[in-house]
Amino acid sequence: MTVEPSPGGLSEGARLPDNAMVLINTAYYGLPPVESGWWYFKVDGQIYRANPSSRVILERVTHLANAAFKS
């Protein structure tokens, strides 16, 4: 079964808003490990993969999170 991202949220290439929070303990939420050059951020109930220095969104990844995040 393929899980598709839900519509809405911020677009790739957009800059994260100032209220974006770094998402820690990502393994608990079932997300793949963070790699060099990007972090996970949470904004308005959505998870984004973004460059931490420029805050530019690389991808919305909420659909990859497990039920622990969505509860």
Side-chain angles (χ1 to χ4, degrees):
M1 175 172 89
T2 302
V3 179
E4 294 296 323
S6 59
L10 302 171
S11 300
E12 291 177 18
R15 190 174 183 281
L16 290 167
D18 292 339
N19 68 339
M21 306 283 286
V22 174
L23 190 63
I24 58 173
N25 196 13
T26 56
Y28 175 76
Y29 299 115
L31 295 167
V34 171
E35 295 184 20
S36 63
W38 58 267
W39 296 350
Y40 290 112
F41 291 85
K42 179 182 175 186
V43 179
D44 297 330
Q46 297 292 312
I47 304 171
Y48 298 92
R49 189 172 61 88
N51 180 302
S53 58
S54 69
R55 298 176 66 87
V56 170
I57 296 170
L58 304 171
E59 178 183 21
R60 186 165 46 125
V61 295
T62 310
H63 62 286
L64 299 178
N66 63 23
F69 176 78
K70 297 167 186 163
S71 59

